[in-house]
Amino acid sequence: TLWLMHEPPAGTPLSQPNSLVAGNEEWVAAIERFSPWLTISGHDHLTPIRTGRWHHRMGQTTCVNVGQPDAGPLHYCLVQAEFNATAPGLPTRMQVTAFPWQETVIVQPR
Protein backbone atom coordinates (compact mmCIF):
# COMPACT_ATOMS: atom_id res chain seq x y z
CA THR A 1 0.00 0.00 0.00
CA LEU A 2 1.14 3.53 -0.80
CA TRP A 3 0.21 6.71 1.09
CA LEU A 4 0.80 10.23 -0.18
CA MET A 5 1.06 12.77 2.62
CA HIS A 6 2.04 16.43 2.66
CA GLU A 7 4.41 16.39 5.65
CA PRO A 8 6.88 13.61 6.41
CA PRO A 9 6.40 11.79 9.69
CA ALA A 10 8.03 13.62 12.61
CA GLY A 11 11.30 12.42 14.11
CA THR A 12 12.86 11.30 10.83
CA PRO A 13 15.79 12.72 8.86
CA LEU A 14 13.24 13.71 6.17
CA SER A 15 12.27 16.96 7.92
CA GLN A 16 13.83 19.50 10.27
CA PRO A 17 12.53 19.22 13.84
CA ASN A 18 11.18 22.28 15.68
CA SER A 19 10.74 24.32 12.51
CA LEU A 20 7.95 25.50 10.23
CA VAL A 21 8.59 22.43 8.08
CA ALA A 22 8.77 19.92 10.93
CA GLY A 23 7.28 16.51 10.35
CA ASN A 24 3.82 15.51 11.51
CA GLU A 25 3.39 13.54 14.77
CA GLU A 26 -0.02 12.25 13.64
CA TRP A 27 1.57 10.55 10.62
CA VAL A 28 3.87 8.67 13.01
CA ALA A 29 0.85 7.30 14.89
CA ALA A 30 -0.93 6.37 11.64
CA ILE A 31 2.16 4.61 10.27
CA GLU A 32 2.64 2.70 13.52
CA ARG A 33 -1.02 1.64 13.50
CA PHE A 34 -1.49 0.73 9.81
CA SER A 35 2.05 -0.05 8.56
CA PRO A 36 1.73 1.01 4.92
CA TRP A 37 4.58 -0.24 2.75
CA LEU A 38 5.44 3.20 1.40
CA THR A 39 4.74 6.86 2.17
CA ILE A 40 5.72 9.73 -0.12
CA SER A 41 5.77 13.28 1.20
CA GLY A 42 7.19 16.73 0.61
CA HIS A 43 6.68 19.91 2.68
CA ASP A 44 10.30 20.15 3.82
CA HIS A 45 12.17 20.76 0.57
CA LEU A 46 15.68 21.35 1.93
CA THR A 47 16.33 18.91 4.79
CA PRO A 48 16.60 15.79 2.57
CA ILE A 49 19.12 17.62 0.40
CA ARG A 50 21.09 18.93 3.40
CA THR A 51 21.17 15.52 5.15
CA GLY A 52 21.53 13.44 1.98
CA ARG A 53 18.69 11.20 3.25
CA TRP A 54 15.68 10.89 0.94
CA HIS A 55 14.24 7.72 2.51
CA HIS A 56 13.83 6.40 6.04
CA ARG A 57 12.51 3.15 7.46
CA MET A 58 9.87 3.17 10.25
CA GLY A 59 9.12 -0.41 11.22
CA GLN A 60 7.91 -2.05 8.00
CA THR A 61 7.23 1.30 6.28
CA THR A 62 9.61 3.08 3.91
CA CYS A 63 9.10 6.86 4.03
CA VAL A 64 10.29 9.00 1.10
CA ASN A 65 10.88 12.77 0.71
CA VAL A 66 13.22 13.66 -2.16
CA GLY A 67 13.26 17.40 -1.37
CA GLN A 68 13.51 20.24 -3.89
CA PRO A 69 16.17 22.96 -4.13
CA ASP A 70 15.02 26.48 -5.07
CA ALA A 71 17.31 26.64 -8.11
CA GLY A 72 16.65 23.13 -9.48
CA PRO A 73 17.12 20.62 -10.93
CA LEU A 74 13.71 19.01 -10.41
CA HIS A 75 13.72 16.31 -7.70
CA TYR A 76 11.19 13.50 -8.05
CA CYS A 77 10.73 9.78 -7.53
CA LEU A 78 9.54 7.05 -9.86
CA VAL A 79 7.55 4.21 -8.26
CA GLN A 80 7.38 0.95 -10.18
CA ALA A 81 5.00 -1.67 -8.80
CA GLU A 82 5.08 -5.39 -9.57
CA PHE A 83 1.91 -7.47 -9.30
CA ASN A 84 1.15 -11.16 -9.21
CA ALA A 85 0.25 -11.98 -12.82
CA THR A 86 -2.31 -14.65 -11.90
CA ALA A 87 -4.64 -12.77 -9.55
CA PRO A 88 -5.65 -9.18 -8.83
CA GLY A 89 -4.36 -7.70 -5.58
CA LEU A 90 -1.77 -5.54 -3.92
CA PRO A 91 1.71 -5.18 -5.39
CA THR A 92 4.19 -7.89 -4.48
CA ARG A 93 7.13 -5.47 -4.73
CA MET A 94 7.73 -1.76 -5.39
CA GLN A 95 10.90 -0.08 -6.57
CA VAL A 96 11.36 3.61 -5.78
CA THR A 97 14.04 5.51 -7.71
CA ALA A 98 14.94 9.05 -6.59
CA PHE A 99 16.07 11.60 -9.16
CA PRO A 100 18.40 13.31 -9.82
CA TRP A 101 20.39 10.94 -7.55
CA GLN A 102 19.28 7.82 -9.44
CA GLU A 103 19.34 5.84 -6.22
CA THR A 104 16.84 3.04 -5.69
CA VAL A 105 15.16 1.46 -2.69
CA ILE A 106 13.12 -1.78 -2.88
CA VAL A 107 9.87 -2.02 -0.93
CA GLN A 108 8.13 -5.34 -0.35
CA PRO A 109 6.17 -6.99 2.42
CA ARG A 110 8.18 -8.75 5.10
Side-chain angles (χ1 to χ4, degrees):
T1 59
L2 165 67
W3 290 4
L4 301 175
M5 52 182 64
H6 184 76
E7 305 94 347
T12 71
L14 304 178
S15 68
Q16 182 178 351
N18 305 316
S19 72
L20 293 174
V21 292
N24 188 318
E25 292 287 341
E26 291 158 349
W27 286 132
V28 174
I31 290 167
E32 289 172 349
R33 180 175 178 193
F34 297 105
S35 297
W37 293 1
L38 176 64
T39 68
I40 299 176
S41 61
H43 188 63
D44 185 333
H45 297 187
L46 298 179
T47 298
I49 295 164
R50 191 177 63 250
T51 64
R53 298 279 311 271
W54 61 271
H55 63 91
H56 177 76
R57 192 99 175 144
M58 289 182 62
Q60 295 191 28
T61 301
T62 299
C63 303
V64 171
N65 177 8
V66 295
Q68 183 59 51
D70 291 336
L74 179 65
H75 285 214
Y76 61 97
C77 60
L78 173 67
V79 179
Q80 297 173 291
E82 295 176 12
F83 294 88
N84 183 338
T86 60
L90 294 173
T92 56
R93 178 179 184 269
M94 289 186 278
Q95 176 176 303
V96 182
T97 305
F99 293 90
W101 298 294
Q102 296 191 17
E103 294 176 359
T104 298
V105 64
I106 303 297
V107 180
Q108 57 192 57
R110 291 183 176 202

Coordinates of all heavy atoms in Angstrom, one line a residue, residues 1-10 12-15 23-43 48 53-67 76-79 94-98 105-108:
T1 N 0.8 -1.2 0.0 CA 0.0 0.0 0.0 C 0.9 1.2 0.0 O 2.0 1.2 0.6 CB -0.9 0.0 1.2 OG1 -0.2 0.0 2.4 CG2 -1.9 -1.1 1.2
L2 N 0.4 2.3 -0.6 CA 1.1 3.5 -0.8 C 0.3 4.7 -0.3 O -0.9 4.8 -0.6 CB 1.4 3.8 -2.3 CG 1.8 5.1 -2.7 CD1 3.2 5.5 -2.2 CD2 1.9 5.2 -4.3
W3 N 0.9 5.5 0.6 CA 0.2 6.7 1.1 C 1.0 7.9 0.6 O 2.2 8.0 0.7 CB 0.2 6.7 2.6 CG -0.6 5.7 3.3 CD1 -1.4 4.7 2.8 CD2 -0.8 5.6 4.7 NE1 -2.0 4.0 3.8 CE2 -1.6 4.6 5.0 CE3 -0.3 6.4 5.8 CZ2 -2.0 4.2 6.2 CZ3 -0.7 6.0 7.1 CH2 -1.5 4.9 7.3
L4 N 0.2 8.9 0.1 CA 0.8 10.2 -0.2 C 0.4 11.2 0.9 O -0.8 11.3 1.3 CB 0.3 10.7 -1.5 CG 0.6 9.8 -2.7 CD1 -0.1 10.3 -4.0 CD2 2.0 9.6 -2.9
M5 N 1.3 11.9 1.5 CA 1.1 12.8 2.6 C 1.9 14.0 2.4 O 3.0 14.0 1.9 CB 1.4 12.1 4.0 CG 2.8 11.5 4.1 SD 3.2 10.7 5.6 CE 2.0 9.3 5.6
H6 N 1.3 15.2 2.9 CA 2.0 16.4 2.7 C 3.3 16.5 3.5 O 4.4 16.7 2.9 CB 1.1 17.6 3.0 CG 1.8 18.9 2.7 ND1 1.9 19.4 1.4 CD2 2.4 19.8 3.5 CE1 2.6 20.6 1.4 NE2 2.9 20.8 2.7
E7 N 3.2 16.3 4.8 CA 4.4 16.4 5.7 C 5.0 15.0 5.9 O 4.2 14.0 5.9 CB 4.1 16.9 7.0 CG 3.4 18.3 7.0 CD 1.8 18.1 7.1 OE1 1.3 17.0 6.9 OE2 1.2 19.1 7.3
P8 N 6.3 14.9 6.0 CA 6.9 13.6 6.4 C 6.5 13.3 7.9 O 6.1 14.2 8.6 CB 8.4 13.8 6.3 CG 8.6 15.1 5.6 CD 7.3 15.9 5.7
P9 N 6.6 12.1 8.3 CA 6.4 11.8 9.7 C 7.5 12.5 10.5 O 8.6 12.6 10.1 CB 6.5 10.3 9.8 CG 7.1 9.8 8.5 CD 6.9 10.9 7.5
A10 N 7.1 12.9 11.7 CA 8.0 13.6 12.6 C 9.1 12.7 13.1 O 8.9 11.4 13.1 CB 7.3 14.2 13.8
T12 N 12.1 12.0 11.9 CA 12.9 11.3 10.8 C 13.9 12.3 10.2 O 13.7 13.5 10.4 CB 12.0 10.7 9.7 OG1 11.5 11.8 8.9 CG2 10.8 9.9 10.3
P13 N 14.9 11.8 9.5 CA 15.8 12.7 8.9 C 15.2 13.4 7.6 O 15.9 14.1 6.9 CB 17.0 11.8 8.5 CG 16.5 10.4 8.5 CD 15.3 10.4 9.4
L14 N 13.9 13.2 7.4 CA 13.2 13.7 6.2 C 12.7 15.1 6.4 O 12.2 15.7 5.5 CB 12.1 12.8 5.7 CG 12.6 11.3 5.4 CD1 11.4 10.5 5.0 CD2 13.7 11.3 4.4
S15 N 12.7 15.6 7.6 CA 12.3 17.0 7.9 C 13.0 17.5 9.1 O 13.5 16.8 10.0 CB 10.8 17.0 8.2 OG 10.4 16.4 9.4
G23 N 8.2 17.6 10.7 CA 7.3 16.5 10.4 C 6.0 16.5 11.2 O 5.9 17.2 12.2
N24 N 5.1 15.6 10.9 CA 3.8 15.5 11.5 C 3.8 14.3 12.5 O 4.0 13.2 12.0 CB 2.8 15.4 10.4 CG 1.4 15.5 10.9 OD1 1.0 14.9 12.0 ND2 0.5 16.2 10.2
E25 N 3.5 14.6 13.8 CA 3.4 13.5 14.8 C 2.2 12.6 14.5 O 2.3 11.4 14.8 CB 3.2 14.2 16.2 CG 4.4 14.9 16.7 CD 5.5 14.0 17.1 OE1 5.3 12.8 17.4 OE2 6.7 14.5 17.2
E26 N 1.1 13.1 13.9 CA 0.0 12.3 13.6 C 0.3 11.2 12.6 O -0.3 10.1 12.6 CB -1.2 13.1 13.3 CG -1.7 13.9 14.4 CD -2.5 15.2 14.1 OE1 -2.5 15.5 12.9 OE2 -3.1 15.7 15.0
W27 N 1.2 11.5 11.6 CA 1.6 10.5 10.6 C 2.3 9.4 11.3 O 2.2 8.3 10.9 CB 2.4 11.2 9.5 CG 1.6 12.0 8.6 CD1 2.0 13.3 8.1 CD2 0.4 11.7 7.9 NE1 1.0 13.7 7.3 CE2 0.1 12.8 7.1 CE3 -0.4 10.6 7.9 CZ2 -1.1 12.8 6.3 CZ3 -1.6 10.6 7.1 CH2 -1.9 11.7 6.3
V28 N 3.1 9.7 12.3 CA 3.9 8.7 13.0 C 2.9 7.7 13.6 O 3.0 6.5 13.4 CB 4.8 9.3 14.1 CG1 5.4 8.2 14.9 CG2 5.8 10.2 13.5
A29 N 1.9 8.2 14.3 CA 0.9 7.3 14.9 C 0.1 6.5 13.8 O -0.1 5.3 14.0 CB -0.1 8.1 15.7
A30 N -0.2 7.1 12.7 CA -0.9 6.4 11.6 C 0.0 5.3 11.0 O -0.5 4.2 10.8 CB -1.4 7.4 10.6
I31 N 1.2 5.6 10.8 CA 2.2 4.6 10.3 C 2.3 3.4 11.2 O 2.3 2.3 10.8 CB 3.5 5.3 9.9 CG1 3.3 6.2 8.7 CG2 4.6 4.2 9.7 CD1 4.5 7.1 8.4
E32 N 2.5 3.8 12.5 CA 2.6 2.7 13.5 C 1.4 1.8 13.6 O 1.5 0.6 13.8 CB 3.0 3.3 14.9 CG 4.4 3.9 15.0 CD 4.6 4.6 16.2 OE1 3.7 4.9 17.0 OE2 5.8 5.0 16.5
R33 N 0.2 2.4 13.4 CA -1.0 1.6 13.5 C -1.3 0.8 12.3 O -1.7 -0.3 12.3 CB -2.2 2.6 13.8 CG -3.5 1.9 13.9 CD -4.6 2.8 14.2 NE -5.9 2.0 14.3 CZ -7.0 2.6 14.3 NH1 -7.2 3.9 14.4 NH2 -8.1 1.8 14.3
F34 N -1.1 1.4 11.0 CA -1.5 0.7 9.8 C -0.4 0.1 9.0 O -0.6 -0.7 8.1 CB -2.3 1.7 8.9 CG -3.6 2.2 9.6 CD1 -3.7 3.4 10.1 CD2 -4.7 1.3 9.7 CE1 -4.8 3.9 10.7 CE2 -5.8 1.7 10.3 CZ -5.9 3.0 10.8
S35 N 0.9 0.5 9.2 CA 2.1 -0.1 8.6 C 1.9 -0.1 7.0 O 2.1 -1.2 6.4 CB 2.4 -1.5 9.1 OG 2.7 -1.4 10.4
P36 N 1.7 1.1 6.4 CA 1.7 1.0 4.9 C 3.1 0.6 4.4 O 4.1 0.8 5.2 CB 1.4 2.5 4.5 CG 1.8 3.3 5.7 CD 1.6 2.4 6.9
W37 N 3.3 0.1 3.3 CA 4.6 -0.2 2.7 C 5.4 1.0 2.5 O 6.6 1.0 2.7 CB 4.5 -1.0 1.5 CG 3.9 -2.4 1.6 CD1 3.4 -3.0 2.7 CD2 3.7 -3.3 0.5 NE1 2.9 -4.2 2.4 CE2 3.1 -4.4 1.0 CE3 3.9 -3.2 -0.8 CZ2 2.7 -5.5 0.2 CZ3 3.6 -4.3 -1.6 CH2 3.0 -5.4 -1.1
L38 N 4.7 2.0 1.9 CA 5.4 3.2 1.4 C 4.7 4.5 1.6 O 3.4 4.5 1.4 CB 5.7 3.0 -0.1 CG 6.3 4.1 -0.9 CD1 7.8 4.3 -0.4 CD2 6.3 3.8 -2.4
T39 N 5.3 5.5 2.1 CA 4.7 6.9 2.2 C 5.6 7.8 1.4 O 6.9 7.7 1.4 CB 4.6 7.4 3.6 OG1 5.9 7.7 4.1 CG2 3.8 6.4 4.5
I40 N 5.0 8.7 0.6 CA 5.7 9.7 -0.1 C 5.2 11.1 0.3 O 4.0 11.3 0.4 CB 5.5 9.5 -1.6 CG1 6.1 8.2 -2.1 CG2 6.2 10.7 -2.4 CD1 5.8 7.8 -3.5
S41 N 6.1 12.0 0.7 CA 5.8 13.3 1.2 C 6.7 14.4 0.6 O 7.6 14.1 -0.1 CB 5.8 13.3 2.7 OG 7.1 13.0 3.2
G42 N 6.4 15.6 1.0 CA 7.2 16.7 0.6 C 7.3 17.7 1.8 O 7.8 17.3 2.8
H43 N 6.8 18.9 1.7 CA 6.7 19.9 2.7 C 8.0 20.5 3.0 O 8.3 21.7 2.8 CB 6.0 19.4 3.9 CG 5.7 20.4 5.0 ND1 4.8 21.5 4.7 CD2 6.1 20.6 6.2 CE1 4.7 22.2 5.8 NE2 5.5 21.7 6.7
P48 N 16.1 17.0 3.2 CA 16.6 15.8 2.6 C 17.9 16.1 1.8 O 18.8 15.3 1.7 CB 15.5 15.3 1.7 CG 14.2 15.9 2.3 CD 14.7 17.2 2.9
R53 N 19.6 12.3 3.0 CA 18.7 11.2 3.3 C 17.3 11.5 2.6 O 16.6 12.3 3.0 CB 18.5 11.1 4.8 CG 19.7 10.7 5.6 CD 20.2 9.3 5.5 NE 19.1 8.3 5.8 CZ 18.7 7.9 7.1 NH1 19.4 8.4 8.1 NH2 17.8 7.0 7.2
W54 N 17.0 10.7 1.6 CA 15.7 10.9 0.9 C 14.7 9.8 1.3 O 13.5 9.8 0.9 CB 15.9 11.0 -0.6 CG 16.5 9.8 -1.2 CD1 17.8 9.6 -1.4 CD2 15.8 8.7 -1.8 NE1 18.0 8.3 -2.0 CE2 16.7 7.8 -2.3 CE3 14.4 8.3 -1.9 CZ2 16.4 6.6 -2.9 CZ3 14.1 7.1 -2.5 CH2 15.1 6.2 -3.0
H55 N 15.2 8.8 2.0 CA 14.2 7.7 2.5 C 14.6 7.3 3.9 O 15.8 7.5 4.3 CB 14.2 6.5 1.6 CG 15.5 5.8 1.4 ND1 15.9 4.7 2.2 CD2 16.6 6.0 0.6 CE1 17.0 4.3 1.9 NE2 17.5 5.0 0.9
H56 N 13.6 6.8 4.6 CA 13.8 6.4 6.0 C 12.9 5.3 6.3 O 11.7 5.3 5.9 CB 13.6 7.6 7.0 CG 13.7 7.3 8.4 ND1 14.9 7.1 9.0 CD2 12.7 7.1 9.4 CE1 14.7 6.8 10.3 NE2 13.4 6.8 10.5
R57 N 13.3 4.3 7.1 CA 12.5 3.1 7.5 C 11.9 3.3 8.8 O 12.6 3.7 9.8 CB 13.4 1.9 7.4 CG 12.7 0.7 7.5 CD 12.5 0.1 6.1 NE 11.9 -1.2 6.3 CZ 11.0 -1.7 5.4 NH1 10.8 -1.0 4.3 NH2 10.5 -2.8 5.6
M58 N 10.6 3.1 9.0 CA 9.9 3.2 10.2 C 9.2 1.8 10.4 O 8.1 1.6 9.7 CB 8.8 4.3 10.3 CG 9.4 5.7 10.4 SD 8.1 6.9 10.5 CE 7.3 6.4 12.0
G59 N 9.7 0.9 11.1 CA 9.1 -0.4 11.2 C 9.1 -1.1 9.8 O 10.2 -1.2 9.2
Q60 N 8.0 -1.4 9.3 CA 7.9 -2.0 8.0 C 7.6 -1.0 6.9 O 7.3 -1.4 5.8 CB 6.9 -3.2 8.0 CG 7.3 -4.3 8.9 CD 6.4 -5.5 8.8 OE1 5.8 -5.7 7.7 NE2 6.3 -6.3 9.8
T61 N 7.6 0.3 7.2 CA 7.2 1.3 6.3 C 8.5 2.0 5.8 O 9.3 2.4 6.6 CB 6.3 2.3 6.9 OG1 5.1 1.6 7.4 CG2 5.9 3.4 6.0
T62 N 8.6 2.2 4.5 CA 9.6 3.1 3.9 C 9.0 4.4 3.6 O 8.0 4.5 2.9 CB 10.2 2.5 2.6 OG1 10.7 1.2 2.9 CG2 11.2 3.4 2.0
C63 N 9.6 5.5 4.2 CA 9.1 6.9 4.0 C 10.1 7.6 3.1 O 11.3 7.5 3.2 CB 9.1 7.6 5.4 SG 8.0 6.8 6.6
V64 N 9.5 8.3 2.1 CA 10.3 9.0 1.1 C 10.0 10.5 1.1 O 8.8 10.9 1.1 CB 10.0 8.4 -0.3 CG1 10.6 9.2 -1.4 CG2 10.5 6.9 -0.3
N65 N 11.0 11.3 1.0 CA 10.9 12.8 0.7 C 12.1 13.1 -0.1 O 13.2 13.2 0.5 CB 10.8 13.6 2.0 CG 10.7 15.1 1.7 OD1 10.6 15.5 0.6 ND2 10.8 15.9 2.8
V66 N 12.0 13.4 -1.4 CA 13.2 13.7 -2.2 C 13.7 15.1 -2.1 O 14.7 15.4 -2.6 CB 13.0 13.2 -3.6 CG1 12.9 11.7 -3.7 CG2 11.9 13.9 -4.3
G67 N 12.9 16.0 -1.5 CA 13.3 17.4 -1.4 C 13.2 18.1 -2.7 O 12.9 17.5 -3.7
Y76 N 12.4 14.3 -8.0 CA 11.2 13.5 -8.0 C 11.5 12.0 -7.8 O 12.7 11.7 -7.8 CB 10.5 13.7 -9.4 CG 11.3 13.2 -10.6 CD1 11.1 12.0 -11.2 CD2 12.2 14.1 -11.2 CE1 11.8 11.6 -12.3 CE2 13.0 13.7 -12.3 CZ 12.8 12.4 -12.8 OH 13.5 12.0 -13.9
C77 N 10.5 11.2 -7.6 CA 10.7 9.8 -7.5 C 9.8 9.0 -8.5 O 8.7 9.5 -8.8 CB 10.6 9.3 -6.1 SG 9.0 9.5 -5.3
L78 N 10.3 7.9 -9.0 CA 9.5 7.0 -9.9 C 9.2 5.8 -9.1 O 10.2 5.2 -8.5 CB 10.4 6.7 -11.1 CG 9.8 5.7 -12.0 CD1 8.5 6.2 -12.7 CD2 10.8 5.3 -13.1
V79 N 8.0 5.4 -9.0 CA 7.6 4.2 -8.3 C 7.1 3.2 -9.3 O 6.2 3.5 -10.1 CB 6.4 4.5 -7.3 CG1 6.0 3.2 -6.6 CG2 6.8 5.6 -6.3
M94 N 7.7 -3.1 -4.8 CA 7.7 -1.8 -5.4 C 9.2 -1.3 -5.4 O 9.9 -1.6 -4.4 CB 6.9 -0.8 -4.6 CG 5.4 -1.0 -4.8 SD 4.4 0.3 -4.0 CE 4.3 -0.3 -2.3
Q95 N 9.6 -0.6 -6.5 CA 10.9 -0.1 -6.6 C 10.7 1.4 -6.7 O 10.0 1.9 -7.5 CB 11.6 -0.6 -7.8 CG 13.0 0.0 -8.1 CD 13.6 -0.7 -9.3 OE1 13.8 -1.9 -9.3 NE2 14.0 0.2 -10.3
V96 N 11.4 2.2 -5.8 CA 11.4 3.6 -5.8 C 12.7 4.1 -6.2 O 13.7 3.8 -5.5 CB 11.0 4.2 -4.4 CG1 10.9 5.7 -4.4 CG2 9.7 3.5 -3.9
T97 N 12.8 4.9 -7.3 CA 14.0 5.5 -7.7 C 13.9 7.0 -7.5 O 13.0 7.6 -8.0 CB 14.3 5.2 -9.2 OG1 14.3 3.7 -9.3 CG2 15.7 5.7 -9.6
A98 N 14.9 7.6 -6.9 CA 14.9 9.1 -6.6 C 15.8 9.7 -7.6 O 16.9 9.3 -7.9 CB 15.5 9.3 -5.2
V105 N 15.5 2.2 -3.9 CA 15.2 1.5 -2.7 C 14.0 0.5 -3.1 O 13.1 0.8 -3.8 CB 14.8 2.4 -1.5 CG1 13.5 3.1 -1.7 CG2 14.6 1.6 -0.2
I106 N 14.1 -0.7 -2.6 CA 13.1 -1.8 -2.9 C 12.2 -1.9 -1.7 O 12.6 -1.9 -0.5 CB 13.8 -3.1 -3.1 CG1 14.8 -3.0 -4.3 CG2 12.7 -4.2 -3.4 CD1 14.2 -2.7 -5.6
V107 N 10.9 -1.9 -2.0 CA 9.9 -2.0 -0.9 C 9.0 -3.3 -1.2 O 8.5 -3.4 -2.3 CB 8.9 -0.8 -0.9 CG1 7.9 -0.9 0.1 CG2 9.8 0.5 -0.8
Q108 N 9.0 -4.2 -0.2 CA 8.1 -5.3 -0.4 C 7.7 -5.8 1.0 O 8.4 -5.5 2.0 CB 8.8 -6.4 -1.1 CG 10.1 -6.9 -0.6 CD 10.9 -7.8 -1.6 OE1 11.1 -7.4 -2.7 NE2 11.2 -9.0 -1.2

